[in-house]
Amino acid sequence: MVAQVPAGLLDLYDKLRVQHGGVGAAALRQGRCQGCNLTLYTVDLNAIRAAPADEVLRCEECRRILVRTADSGL
Ligand SMILES: [Zn+2]
């Protein structure tokens, strides 16, 4: 799994993990949390879309920090 993640994102994950007490991070891709493969509801995606870029978003299922990407499907 780690091997598929671009190096830049890995750095970000590490920073987020330190900042948030060991909670891992997962990329949001095509409306889906890459940590637990949960497909987010449209209402959640709308909230993410409306959230400021620096707001920390959590997956409701696995509690990982969701990292928005160009491929987030927003
Ligand atoms: Zn998740």
Side-chain angles (χ1 to χ4, degrees):
M1 169 190 162
V2 167
Q4 299 171 0
V5 180
L9 267 182
L10 272 185
D11 288 346
L12 179 60
Y13 288 0
D14 286 342
K15 273 186 206 139
L16 288 170
R17 197 174 297 131
V18 169
Q19 284 171 8
H20 297 279
V23 178
L28 177 65
R29 282 215 184 100
Q30 297 179 352
R32 182 178 288 199
C33 168
Q34 297 296 295
C36 66
N37 275 332
L38 176 79
T39 300
L40 276 69
Y41 292 110
T42 301
V43 62
D44 294 326
L45 291 173
N46 286 340
I48 290 170
R49 193 181 296 125
D54 61 349
E55 181 167 328
V56 174
L57 304 161
R58 290 281 185 87
C59 172
E60 292 298 320
E61 182 68 20
C62 65
R63 306 309 296 165
R64 287 184 179 87
I65 295 160
L66 286 173
V67 179
R68 283 168 278 192
T69 70
D71 190 30
S72 286
L74 298 175

PDB file of all heavy atoms in Angstrom, residues 1 4-6 9-10 12-13 16-17 24-40 45 48 57-59 62 64-74:
ATOM      1  N   MET A   1       0.832  -1.188   0.000  1.00  0.00           N
ATOM      2  CA  MET A   1       0.000   0.000   0.000  1.00  0.00           C
ATOM      3  C   MET A   1       0.869   1.242   0.000  1.00  0.00           C
ATOM      4  O   MET A   1       0.641   2.151  -0.777  1.00  0.00           O
ATOM      5  CB  MET A   1      -0.901  -0.023   1.231  1.00  0.00           C
ATOM      6  CG  MET A   1      -1.613   1.307   1.459  1.00  0.00           C
ATOM      7  SD  MET A   1      -2.431   1.332   3.055  1.00  0.00           S
ATOM      8  CE  MET A   1      -2.663   3.111   3.216  1.00  0.00           C
ATOM      9  N   GLN A   4       2.462   2.538  -3.283  1.00  0.00           N
ATOM     10  CA  GLN A   4       1.639   3.183  -4.304  1.00  0.00           C
ATOM     11  C   GLN A   4       1.479   4.680  -4.066  1.00  0.00           C
ATOM     12  O   GLN A   4       0.941   5.385  -4.914  1.00  0.00           O
ATOM     13  CB  GLN A   4       0.247   2.542  -4.326  1.00  0.00           C
ATOM     14  CG  GLN A   4       0.279   1.065  -4.669  1.00  0.00           C
ATOM     15  CD  GLN A   4      -1.070   0.408  -4.470  1.00  0.00           C
ATOM     16  OE1 GLN A   4      -2.032   1.054  -4.084  1.00  0.00           O
ATOM     17  NE2 GLN A   4      -1.139  -0.878  -4.735  1.00  0.00           N
ATOM     18  N   VAL A   5       1.894   5.139  -2.905  1.00  0.00           N
ATOM     19  CA  VAL A   5       1.670   6.535  -2.552  1.00  0.00           C
ATOM     20  C   VAL A   5       2.873   7.382  -2.971  1.00  0.00           C
ATOM     21  O   VAL A   5       4.007   7.032  -2.652  1.00  0.00           O
ATOM     22  CB  VAL A   5       1.444   6.672  -1.032  1.00  0.00           C
ATOM     23  CG1 VAL A   5       1.216   8.126  -0.649  1.00  0.00           C
ATOM     24  CG2 VAL A   5       0.274   5.809  -0.602  1.00  0.00           C
ATOM     25  N   PRO A   6       2.629   8.474  -3.702  1.00  0.00           N
ATOM     26  CA  PRO A   6       3.740   9.350  -4.086  1.00  0.00           C
ATOM     27  C   PRO A   6       4.504   9.861  -2.872  1.00  0.00           C
ATOM     28  O   PRO A   6       3.917  10.040  -1.797  1.00  0.00           O
ATOM     29  CB  PRO A   6       3.042  10.508  -4.795  1.00  0.00           C
ATOM     30  CG  PRO A   6       1.695   9.996  -5.169  1.00  0.00           C
ATOM     31  CD  PRO A   6       1.342   8.936  -4.167  1.00  0.00           C
ATOM     32  N   LEU A   9       3.201  12.844  -0.855  1.00  0.00           N
ATOM     33  CA  LEU A   9       2.062  12.546   0.012  1.00  0.00           C
ATOM     34  C   LEU A   9       2.509  11.819   1.270  1.00  0.00           C
ATOM     35  O   LEU A   9       1.962  12.041   2.341  1.00  0.00           O
ATOM     36  CB  LEU A   9       1.043  11.689  -0.730  1.00  0.00           C
ATOM     37  CG  LEU A   9      -0.076  12.429  -1.450  1.00  0.00           C
ATOM     38  CD1 LEU A   9      -1.034  11.423  -2.089  1.00  0.00           C
ATOM     39  CD2 LEU A   9      -0.849  13.342  -0.520  1.00  0.00           C
ATOM     40  N   LEU A  10       3.512  10.971   1.119  1.00  0.00           N
ATOM     41  CA  LEU A  10       4.010  10.261   2.306  1.00  0.00           C
ATOM     42  C   LEU A  10       4.549  11.232   3.343  1.00  0.00           C
ATOM     43  O   LEU A  10       4.319  11.080   4.535  1.00  0.00           O
ATOM     44  CB  LEU A  10       5.110   9.270   1.906  1.00  0.00           C
ATOM     45  CG  LEU A  10       4.649   7.880   1.499  1.00  0.00           C
ATOM     46  CD1 LEU A  10       5.853   7.005   1.248  1.00  0.00           C
ATOM     47  CD2 LEU A  10       3.765   7.268   2.565  1.00  0.00           C
ATOM     48  N   LEU A  12       3.582  14.228   3.752  1.00  0.00           N
ATOM     49  CA  LEU A  12       2.407  14.873   4.341  1.00  0.00           C
ATOM     50  C   LEU A  12       1.772  13.952   5.375  1.00  0.00           C
ATOM     51  O   LEU A  12       1.406  14.385   6.464  1.00  0.00           O
ATOM     52  CB  LEU A  12       1.408  15.211   3.229  1.00  0.00           C
ATOM     53  CG  LEU A  12       0.105  15.867   3.666  1.00  0.00           C
ATOM     54  CD1 LEU A  12       0.374  17.185   4.380  1.00  0.00           C
ATOM     55  CD2 LEU A  12      -0.806  16.096   2.480  1.00  0.00           C
ATOM     56  N   TYR A  13       1.668  12.674   5.041  1.00  0.00           N
ATOM     57  CA  TYR A  13       1.091  11.726   5.985  1.00  0.00           C
ATOM     58  C   TYR A  13       1.875  11.711   7.286  1.00  0.00           C
ATOM     59  O   TYR A  13       1.312  11.688   8.378  1.00  0.00           O
ATOM     60  CB  TYR A  13       1.128  10.303   5.403  1.00  0.00           C
ATOM     61  CG  TYR A  13       0.154  10.043   4.292  1.00  0.00           C
ATOM     62  CD1 TYR A  13      -0.720  11.034   3.834  1.00  0.00           C
ATOM     63  CD2 TYR A  13       0.094   8.811   3.695  1.00  0.00           C
ATOM     64  CE1 TYR A  13      -1.596  10.777   2.801  1.00  0.00           C
ATOM     65  CE2 TYR A  13      -0.790   8.551   2.658  1.00  0.00           C
ATOM     66  CZ  TYR A  13      -1.623   9.542   2.217  1.00  0.00           C
ATOM     67  OH  TYR A  13      -2.479   9.273   1.213  1.00  0.00           O
ATOM     68  N   LEU A  16       1.162  14.773   9.300  1.00  0.00           N
ATOM     69  CA  LEU A  16      -0.177  14.722   9.876  1.00  0.00           C
ATOM     70  C   LEU A  16      -0.224  13.735  11.038  1.00  0.00           C
ATOM     71  O   LEU A  16      -0.857  13.987  12.046  1.00  0.00           O
ATOM     72  CB  LEU A  16      -1.198  14.309   8.812  1.00  0.00           C
ATOM     73  CG  LEU A  16      -1.500  15.380   7.768  1.00  0.00           C
ATOM     74  CD1 LEU A  16      -2.331  14.792   6.627  1.00  0.00           C
ATOM     75  CD2 LEU A  16      -2.236  16.554   8.377  1.00  0.00           C
ATOM     76  N   ARG A  17       0.491  12.643  10.889  1.00  0.00           N
ATOM     77  CA  ARG A  17       0.478  11.628  11.944  1.00  0.00           C
ATOM     78  C   ARG A  17       1.068  12.202  13.233  1.00  0.00           C
ATOM     79  O   ARG A  17       0.560  11.958  14.323  1.00  0.00           O
ATOM     80  CB  ARG A  17       1.271  10.395  11.481  1.00  0.00           C
ATOM     81  CG  ARG A  17       0.979   9.181  12.291  1.00  0.00           C
ATOM     82  CD  ARG A  17       1.663   7.955  11.712  1.00  0.00           C
ATOM     83  NE  ARG A  17       1.183   7.631  10.391  1.00  0.00           N
ATOM     84  CZ  ARG A  17       1.983   7.389   9.340  1.00  0.00           C
ATOM     85  NH1 ARG A  17       3.262   7.408   9.473  1.00  0.00           N
ATOM     86  NH2 ARG A  17       1.472   7.104   8.178  1.00  0.00           N
ATOM     87  N   GLY A  24      -3.434   7.989  11.489  1.00  0.00           N
ATOM     88  CA  GLY A  24      -2.949   7.929  10.118  1.00  0.00           C
ATOM     89  C   GLY A  24      -3.783   8.787   9.191  1.00  0.00           C
ATOM     90  O   GLY A  24      -4.835   9.291   9.552  1.00  0.00           O
ATOM     91  N   ALA A  25      -3.260   8.945   8.005  1.00  0.00           N
ATOM     92  CA  ALA A  25      -3.965   9.717   6.996  1.00  0.00           C
ATOM     93  C   ALA A  25      -4.208   8.844   5.777  1.00  0.00           C
ATOM     94  O   ALA A  25      -3.513   7.859   5.554  1.00  0.00           O
ATOM     95  CB  ALA A  25      -3.146  10.942   6.611  1.00  0.00           C
ATOM     96  N   ALA A  26      -5.218   9.203   5.035  1.00  0.00           N
ATOM     97  CA  ALA A  26      -5.536   8.453   3.822  1.00  0.00           C
ATOM     98  C   ALA A  26      -5.921   9.435   2.734  1.00  0.00           C
ATOM     99  O   ALA A  26      -6.547  10.464   3.005  1.00  0.00           O
ATOM    100  CB  ALA A  26      -6.678   7.471   4.080  1.00  0.00           C
ATOM    101  N   ALA A  27      -5.546   9.123   1.523  1.00  0.00           N
ATOM    102  CA  ALA A  27      -5.939   9.971   0.405  1.00  0.00           C
ATOM    103  C   ALA A  27      -7.420   9.771   0.102  1.00  0.00           C
ATOM    104  O   ALA A  27      -7.965   8.682   0.279  1.00  0.00           O
ATOM    105  CB  ALA A  27      -5.104   9.636  -0.818  1.00  0.00           C
ATOM    106  N   LEU A  28      -8.035  10.836  -0.324  1.00  0.00           N
ATOM    107  CA  LEU A  28      -9.406  10.753  -0.810  1.00  0.00           C
ATOM    108  C   LEU A  28      -9.331  10.693  -2.325  1.00  0.00           C
ATOM    109  O   LEU A  28      -8.853  11.617  -2.979  1.00  0.00           O
ATOM    110  CB  LEU A  28     -10.193  11.995  -0.366  1.00  0.00           C
ATOM    111  CG  LEU A  28     -11.628  12.082  -0.875  1.00  0.00           C
ATOM    112  CD1 LEU A  28     -12.492  10.967  -0.315  1.00  0.00           C
ATOM    113  CD2 LEU A  28     -12.229  13.435  -0.546  1.00  0.00           C
ATOM    114  N   ARG A  29      -9.773   9.579  -2.867  1.00  0.00           N
ATOM    115  CA  ARG A  29      -9.714   9.402  -4.323  1.00  0.00           C
ATOM    116  C   ARG A  29     -11.068   8.996  -4.849  1.00  0.00           C
ATOM    117  O   ARG A  29     -11.637   8.014  -4.401  1.00  0.00           O
ATOM    118  CB  ARG A  29      -8.723   8.295  -4.692  1.00  0.00           C
ATOM    119  CG  ARG A  29      -7.307   8.777  -4.607  1.00  0.00           C
ATOM    120  CD  ARG A  29      -6.415   8.168  -5.659  1.00  0.00           C
ATOM    121  NE  ARG A  29      -5.064   8.649  -5.411  1.00  0.00           N
ATOM    122  CZ  ARG A  29      -4.157   7.916  -4.778  1.00  0.00           C
ATOM    123  NH1 ARG A  29      -4.416   6.707  -4.413  1.00  0.00           N
ATOM    124  NH2 ARG A  29      -2.976   8.427  -4.534  1.00  0.00           N
ATOM    125  N   GLN A  30     -11.533   9.750  -5.807  1.00  0.00           N
ATOM    126  CA  GLN A  30     -12.800   9.443  -6.483  1.00  0.00           C
ATOM    127  C   GLN A  30     -13.910   9.195  -5.466  1.00  0.00           C
ATOM    128  O   GLN A  30     -14.680   8.238  -5.584  1.00  0.00           O
ATOM    129  CB  GLN A  30     -12.617   8.258  -7.426  1.00  0.00           C
ATOM    130  CG  GLN A  30     -11.612   8.610  -8.532  1.00  0.00           C
ATOM    131  CD  GLN A  30     -11.345   7.467  -9.499  1.00  0.00           C
ATOM    132  OE1 GLN A  30     -11.786   6.343  -9.276  1.00  0.00           O
ATOM    133  NE2 GLN A  30     -10.617   7.763 -10.560  1.00  0.00           N
ATOM    134  N   GLY A  31     -13.935  10.079  -4.477  1.00  0.00           N
ATOM    135  CA  GLY A  31     -15.003  10.021  -3.491  1.00  0.00           C
ATOM    136  C   GLY A  31     -14.857   8.908  -2.478  1.00  0.00           C
ATOM    137  O   GLY A  31     -15.785   8.620  -1.731  1.00  0.00           O
ATOM    138  N   ARG A  32     -13.688   8.264  -2.436  1.00  0.00           N
ATOM    139  CA  ARG A  32     -13.507   7.110  -1.579  1.00  0.00           C
ATOM    140  C   ARG A  32     -12.287   7.287  -0.691  1.00  0.00           C
ATOM    141  O   ARG A  32     -11.235   7.719  -1.136  1.00  0.00           O
ATOM    142  CB  ARG A  32     -13.337   5.880  -2.473  1.00  0.00           C
ATOM    143  CG  ARG A  32     -13.187   4.596  -1.723  1.00  0.00           C
ATOM    144  CD  ARG A  32     -13.071   3.445  -2.664  1.00  0.00           C
ATOM    145  NE  ARG A  32     -14.342   3.143  -3.330  1.00  0.00           N
ATOM    146  CZ  ARG A  32     -14.620   1.980  -3.911  1.00  0.00           C
ATOM    147  NH1 ARG A  32     -13.729   1.033  -3.934  1.00  0.00           N
ATOM    148  NH2 ARG A  32     -15.780   1.773  -4.456  1.00  0.00           N
ATOM    149  N   CYS A  33     -12.440   6.937   0.564  1.00  0.00           N
ATOM    150  CA  CYS A  33     -11.318   6.946   1.487  1.00  0.00           C
ATOM    151  C   CYS A  33     -10.402   5.780   1.137  1.00  0.00           C
ATOM    152  O   CYS A  33     -10.846   4.635   1.098  1.00  0.00           O
ATOM    153  CB  CYS A  33     -11.832   6.806   2.923  1.00  0.00           C
ATOM    154  SG  CYS A  33     -10.527   6.465   4.125  1.00  0.00           S
ATOM    155  N   GLN A  34      -9.121   6.091   0.902  1.00  0.00           N
ATOM    156  CA  GLN A  34      -8.193   5.030   0.522  1.00  0.00           C
ATOM    157  C   GLN A  34      -7.729   4.233   1.738  1.00  0.00           C
ATOM    158  O   GLN A  34      -7.047   3.222   1.593  1.00  0.00           O
ATOM    159  CB  GLN A  34      -6.993   5.619  -0.210  1.00  0.00           C
ATOM    160  CG  GLN A  34      -7.362   6.305  -1.520  1.00  0.00           C
ATOM    161  CD  GLN A  34      -7.943   5.333  -2.545  1.00  0.00           C
ATOM    162  OE1 GLN A  34      -7.260   4.442  -2.996  1.00  0.00           O
ATOM    163  NE2 GLN A  34      -9.212   5.505  -2.878  1.00  0.00           N
ATOM    164  N   GLY A  35      -8.078   4.680   2.925  1.00  0.00           N
ATOM    165  CA  GLY A  35      -7.693   3.947   4.122  1.00  0.00           C
ATOM    166  C   GLY A  35      -8.605   2.758   4.369  1.00  0.00           C
ATOM    167  O   GLY A  35      -8.146   1.666   4.687  1.00  0.00           O
ATOM    168  N   CYS A  36      -9.898   2.950   4.230  1.00  0.00           N
ATOM    169  CA  CYS A  36     -10.858   1.881   4.529  1.00  0.00           C
ATOM    170  C   CYS A  36     -11.748   1.551   3.345  1.00  0.00           C
ATOM    171  O   CYS A  36     -12.615   0.691   3.454  1.00  0.00           O
ATOM    172  CB  CYS A  36     -11.712   2.263   5.737  1.00  0.00           C
ATOM    173  SG  CYS A  36     -12.784   3.685   5.440  1.00  0.00           S
ATOM    174  N   ASN A  37     -11.541   2.255   2.229  1.00  0.00           N
ATOM    175  CA  ASN A  37     -12.315   2.012   1.008  1.00  0.00           C
ATOM    176  C   ASN A  37     -13.784   2.390   1.130  1.00  0.00           C
ATOM    177  O   ASN A  37     -14.600   1.954   0.325  1.00  0.00           O
ATOM    178  CB  ASN A  37     -12.192   0.566   0.532  1.00  0.00           C
ATOM    179  CG  ASN A  37     -10.956   0.371  -0.313  1.00  0.00           C
ATOM    180  OD1 ASN A  37     -10.490   1.312  -0.958  1.00  0.00           O
ATOM    181  ND2 ASN A  37     -10.414  -0.826  -0.313  1.00  0.00           N
ATOM    182  N   LEU A  38     -14.102   3.182   2.139  1.00  0.00           N
ATOM    183  CA  LEU A  38     -15.476   3.663   2.257  1.00  0.00           C
ATOM    184  C   LEU A  38     -15.738   4.706   1.171  1.00  0.00           C
ATOM    185  O   LEU A  38     -14.954   5.633   0.980  1.00  0.00           O
ATOM    186  CB  LEU A  38     -15.679   4.316   3.627  1.00  0.00           C
ATOM    187  CG  LEU A  38     -17.055   4.947   3.844  1.00  0.00           C
ATOM    188  CD1 LEU A  38     -18.091   3.879   4.189  1.00  0.00           C
ATOM    189  CD2 LEU A  38     -17.014   5.991   4.934  1.00  0.00           C
ATOM    190  N   THR A  39     -16.835   4.555   0.468  1.00  0.00           N
ATOM    191  CA  THR A  39     -17.267   5.586  -0.458  1.00  0.00           C
ATOM    192  C   THR A  39     -18.090   6.598   0.321  1.00  0.00           C
ATOM    193  O   THR A  39     -19.084   6.237   0.961  1.00  0.00           O
ATOM    194  CB  THR A  39     -18.104   4.988  -1.604  1.00  0.00           C
ATOM    195  OG1 THR A  39     -17.304   4.047  -2.297  1.00  0.00           O
ATOM    196  CG2 THR A  39     -18.549   6.075  -2.564  1.00  0.00           C
ATOM    197  N   LEU A  40     -17.642   7.827   0.299  1.00  0.00           N
ATOM    198  CA  LEU A  40     -18.316   8.848   1.082  1.00  0.00           C
ATOM    199  C   LEU A  40     -19.662   9.210   0.462  1.00  0.00           C
ATOM    200  O   LEU A  40     -19.839   9.158  -0.753  1.00  0.00           O
ATOM    201  CB  LEU A  40     -17.439  10.098   1.191  1.00  0.00           C
ATOM    202  CG  LEU A  40     -16.393  10.055   2.312  1.00  0.00           C
ATOM    203  CD1 LEU A  40     -15.313   9.044   2.022  1.00  0.00           C
ATOM    204  CD2 LEU A  40     -15.795  11.427   2.504  1.00  0.00           C
ATOM    205  N   LEU A  45     -19.172  14.596   0.773  1.00  0.00           N
ATOM    206  CA  LEU A  45     -18.307  15.163  -0.266  1.00  0.00           C
ATOM    207  C   LEU A  45     -18.594  16.650  -0.442  1.00  0.00           C
ATOM    208  O   LEU A  45     -17.683  17.451  -0.654  1.00  0.00           O
ATOM    209  CB  LEU A  45     -18.505  14.418  -1.592  1.00  0.00           C
ATOM    210  CG  LEU A  45     -17.981  12.981  -1.609  1.00  0.00           C
ATOM    211  CD1 LEU A  45     -18.392  12.282  -2.899  1.00  0.00           C
ATOM    212  CD2 LEU A  45     -16.471  12.955  -1.451  1.00  0.00           C
ATOM    213  N   ILE A  48     -16.843  18.427   2.305  1.00  0.00           N
ATOM    214  CA  ILE A  48     -15.401  18.470   2.059  1.00  0.00           C
ATOM    215  C   ILE A  48     -15.086  19.528   1.007  1.00  0.00           C
ATOM    216  O   ILE A  48     -14.132  20.294   1.121  1.00  0.00           O
ATOM    217  CB  ILE A  48     -14.888  17.082   1.619  1.00  0.00           C
ATOM    218  CG1 ILE A  48     -14.955  16.118   2.804  1.00  0.00           C
ATOM    219  CG2 ILE A  48     -13.477  17.161   1.052  1.00  0.00           C
ATOM    220  CD1 ILE A  48     -14.707  14.672   2.432  1.00  0.00           C
ATOM    221  N   LEU A  57      -9.824  17.092   7.782  1.00  0.00           N
ATOM    222  CA  LEU A  57     -11.025  16.303   7.560  1.00  0.00           C
ATOM    223  C   LEU A  57     -10.772  14.876   8.001  1.00  0.00           C
ATOM    224  O   LEU A  57      -9.701  14.347   7.808  1.00  0.00           O
ATOM    225  CB  LEU A  57     -11.391  16.336   6.075  1.00  0.00           C
ATOM    226  CG  LEU A  57     -11.572  17.744   5.498  1.00  0.00           C
ATOM    227  CD1 LEU A  57     -11.467  17.705   3.982  1.00  0.00           C
ATOM    228  CD2 LEU A  57     -12.895  18.328   5.934  1.00  0.00           C
ATOM    229  N   ARG A  58     -11.776  14.270   8.579  1.00  0.00           N
ATOM    230  CA  ARG A  58     -11.629  12.893   9.036  1.00  0.00           C
ATOM    231  C   ARG A  58     -12.626  11.997   8.314  1.00  0.00           C
ATOM    232  O   ARG A  58     -13.757  12.392   8.075  1.00  0.00           O
ATOM    233  CB  ARG A  58     -11.927  12.811  10.547  1.00  0.00           C
ATOM    234  CG  ARG A  58     -10.864  13.458  11.416  1.00  0.00           C
ATOM    235  CD  ARG A  58      -9.681  12.520  11.545  1.00  0.00           C
ATOM    236  NE  ARG A  58      -8.695  13.061  12.454  1.00  0.00           N
ATOM    237  CZ  ARG A  58      -8.726  12.873  13.775  1.00  0.00           C
ATOM    238  NH1 ARG A  58      -9.681  12.200  14.333  1.00  0.00           N
ATOM    239  NH2 ARG A  58      -7.778  13.387  14.533  1.00  0.00           N
ATOM    240  N   CYS A  59     -12.170  10.790   8.047  1.00  0.00           N
ATOM    241  CA  CYS A  59     -13.083   9.776   7.536  1.00  0.00           C
ATOM    242  C   CYS A  59     -13.968   9.332   8.698  1.00  0.00           C
ATOM    243  O   CYS A  59     -13.473   9.013   9.773  1.00  0.00           O
ATOM    244  CB  CYS A  59     -12.298   8.592   6.989  1.00  0.00           C
ATOM    245  SG  CYS A  59     -13.349   7.197   6.548  1.00  0.00           S
ATOM    246  N   CYS A  62     -13.098   5.250   9.474  1.00  0.00           N
ATOM    247  CA  CYS A  62     -11.845   4.766  10.063  1.00  0.00           C
ATOM    248  C   CYS A  62     -11.118   5.862  10.842  1.00  0.00           C
ATOM    249  O   CYS A  62     -10.093   5.588  11.462  1.00  0.00           O
ATOM    250  CB  CYS A  62     -10.939   4.187   8.975  1.00  0.00           C
ATOM    251  SG  CYS A  62     -10.376   5.402   7.756  1.00  0.00           S
ATOM    252  N   ARG A  64      -9.290   8.149   9.943  1.00  0.00           N
ATOM    253  CA  ARG A  64      -8.058   8.682   9.368  1.00  0.00           C
ATOM    254  C   ARG A  64      -8.304  10.096   8.870  1.00  0.00           C
ATOM    255  O   ARG A  64      -9.439  10.472   8.578  1.00  0.00           O
ATOM    256  CB  ARG A  64      -7.595   7.802   8.209  1.00  0.00           C
ATOM    257  CG  ARG A  64      -7.000   6.466   8.618  1.00  0.00           C
ATOM    258  CD  ARG A  64      -6.499   5.775   7.362  1.00  0.00           C
ATOM    259  NE  ARG A  64      -5.877   4.491   7.663  1.00  0.00           N
ATOM    260  CZ  ARG A  64      -6.550   3.350   7.754  1.00  0.00           C
ATOM    261  NH1 ARG A  64      -7.843   3.315   7.595  1.00  0.00           N
ATOM    262  NH2 ARG A  64      -5.914   2.221   8.021  1.00  0.00           N
ATOM    263  N   ILE A  65      -7.209  10.824   8.768  1.00  0.00           N
ATOM    264  CA  ILE A  65      -7.287  12.167   8.202  1.00  0.00           C
ATOM    265  C   ILE A  65      -7.365  12.032   6.681  1.00  0.00           C
ATOM    266  O   ILE A  65      -6.541  11.358   6.065  1.00  0.00           O
ATOM    267  CB  ILE A  65      -6.049  12.984   8.607  1.00  0.00           C
ATOM    268  CG1 ILE A  65      -6.069  13.188  10.124  1.00  0.00           C
ATOM    269  CG2 ILE A  65      -6.014  14.316   7.862  1.00  0.00           C
ATOM    270  CD1 ILE A  65      -4.703  13.534  10.694  1.00  0.00           C
ATOM    271  N   LEU A  66      -8.364  12.647   6.104  1.00  0.00           N
ATOM    272  CA  LEU A  66      -8.532  12.573   4.652  1.00  0.00           C
ATOM    273  C   LEU A  66      -7.709  13.652   3.973  1.00  0.00           C
ATOM    274  O   LEU A  66      -7.809  14.833   4.299  1.00  0.00           O
ATOM    275  CB  LEU A  66      -9.998  12.747   4.280  1.00  0.00           C
ATOM    276  CG  LEU A  66     -10.897  11.537   4.565  1.00  0.00           C
ATOM    277  CD1 LEU A  66     -12.348  11.911   4.301  1.00  0.00           C
ATOM    278  CD2 LEU A  66     -10.490  10.348   3.721  1.00  0.00           C
ATOM    279  N   VAL A  67      -6.881  13.243   3.044  1.00  0.00           N
ATOM    280  CA  VAL A  67      -6.051  14.167   2.296  1.00  0.00           C
ATOM    281  C   VAL A  67      -6.659  14.332   0.909  1.00  0.00           C
ATOM    282  O   VAL A  67      -6.801  13.372   0.160  1.00  0.00           O
ATOM    283  CB  VAL A  67      -4.607  13.639   2.168  1.00  0.00           C
ATOM    284  CG1 VAL A  67      -3.752  14.609   1.354  1.00  0.00           C
ATOM    285  CG2 VAL A  67      -4.009  13.424   3.554  1.00  0.00           C
ATOM    286  N   ARG A  68      -7.041  15.566   0.616  1.00  0.00           N
ATOM    287  CA  ARG A  68      -7.622  15.836  -0.693  1.00  0.00           C
ATOM    288  C   ARG A  68      -6.541  15.797  -1.776  1.00  0.00           C
ATOM    289  O   ARG A  68      -5.449  16.312  -1.582  1.00  0.00           O
ATOM    290  CB  ARG A  68      -8.327  17.192  -0.680  1.00  0.00           C
ATOM    291  CG  ARG A  68      -9.685  17.126   0.020  1.00  0.00           C
ATOM    292  CD  ARG A  68     -10.248  18.490   0.283  1.00  0.00           C
ATOM    293  NE  ARG A  68      -9.661  19.068   1.505  1.00  0.00           N
ATOM    294  CZ  ARG A  68     -10.130  20.159   2.099  1.00  0.00           C
ATOM    295  NH1 ARG A  68     -11.149  20.786   1.606  1.00  0.00           N
ATOM    296  NH2 ARG A  68      -9.550  20.614   3.196  1.00  0.00           N
ATOM    297  N   THR A  69      -6.867  15.195  -2.881  1.00  0.00           N
ATOM    298  CA  THR A  69      -5.950  15.122  -4.005  1.00  0.00           C
ATOM    299  C   THR A  69      -6.657  15.646  -5.258  1.00  0.00           C
ATOM    300  O   THR A  69      -7.864  15.902  -5.240  1.00  0.00           O
ATOM    301  CB  THR A  69      -5.512  13.657  -4.275  1.00  0.00           C
ATOM    302  OG1 THR A  69      -6.647  12.940  -4.786  1.00  0.00           O
ATOM    303  CG2 THR A  69      -5.012  12.980  -2.999  1.00  0.00           C
ATOM    304  N   ALA A  70      -5.901  15.763  -6.329  1.00  0.00           N
ATOM    305  CA  ALA A  70      -6.490  16.214  -7.594  1.00  0.00           C
ATOM    306  C   ALA A  70      -7.518  15.208  -8.100  1.00  0.00           C
ATOM    307  O   ALA A  70      -8.371  15.529  -8.922  1.00  0.00           O
ATOM    308  CB  ALA A  70      -5.396  16.418  -8.632  1.00  0.00           C
ATOM    309  N   ASP A  71      -7.436  14.016  -7.564  1.00  0.00           N
ATOM    310  CA  ASP A  71      -8.290  12.925  -8.014  1.00  0.00           C
ATOM    311  C   ASP A  71      -9.373  12.592  -6.976  1.00  0.00           C
ATOM    312  O   ASP A  71      -9.890  11.493  -6.935  1.00  0.00           O
ATOM    313  CB  ASP A  71      -7.378  11.698  -8.259  1.00  0.00           C
ATOM    314  CG  ASP A  71      -8.127  10.580  -8.970  1.00  0.00           C
ATOM    315  OD1 ASP A  71      -9.048  10.889  -9.731  1.00  0.00           O
ATOM    316  OD2 ASP A  71      -7.754   9.421  -8.764  1.00  0.00           O
ATOM    317  N   SER A  72      -9.689  13.568  -6.131  1.00  0.00           N
ATOM    318  CA  SER A  72     -10.613  13.282  -5.032  1.00  0.00           C
ATOM    319  C   SER A  72     -12.054  13.061  -5.485  1.00  0.00           C
ATOM    320  O   SER A  72     -12.870  12.546  -4.741  1.00  0.00           O
ATOM    321  CB  SER A  72     -10.592  14.422  -4.022  1.00  0.00           C
ATOM    322  OG  SER A  72      -9.406  14.378  -3.258  1.00  0.00           O
ATOM    323  N   GLY A  73     -12.347  13.494  -6.691  1.00  0.00           N
ATOM    324  CA  GLY A  73     -13.706  13.321  -7.182  1.00  0.00           C
ATOM    325  C   GLY A  73     -14.685  14.346  -6.641  1.00  0.00           C
ATOM    326  O   GLY A  73     -15.896  14.126  -6.598  1.00  0.00           O
ATOM    327  N   LEU A  74     -14.143  15.481  -6.214  1.00  0.00           N
ATOM    328  CA  LEU A  74     -14.999  16.537  -5.665  1.00  0.00           C
ATOM    329  C   LEU A  74     -15.579  17.400  -6.777  1.00  0.00           C
ATOM    330  O   LEU A  74     -14.965  17.580  -7.792  1.00  0.00           O
ATOM    331  CB  LEU A  74     -14.216  17.414  -4.702  1.00  0.00           C
ATOM    332  CG  LEU A  74     -13.670  16.677  -3.465  1.00  0.00           C
ATOM    333  CD1 LEU A  74     -12.814  17.598  -2.654  1.00  0.00           C
ATOM    334  CD2 LEU A  74     -14.820  16.140  -2.629  1.00  0.00           C
TER     335      LEU A  74
END
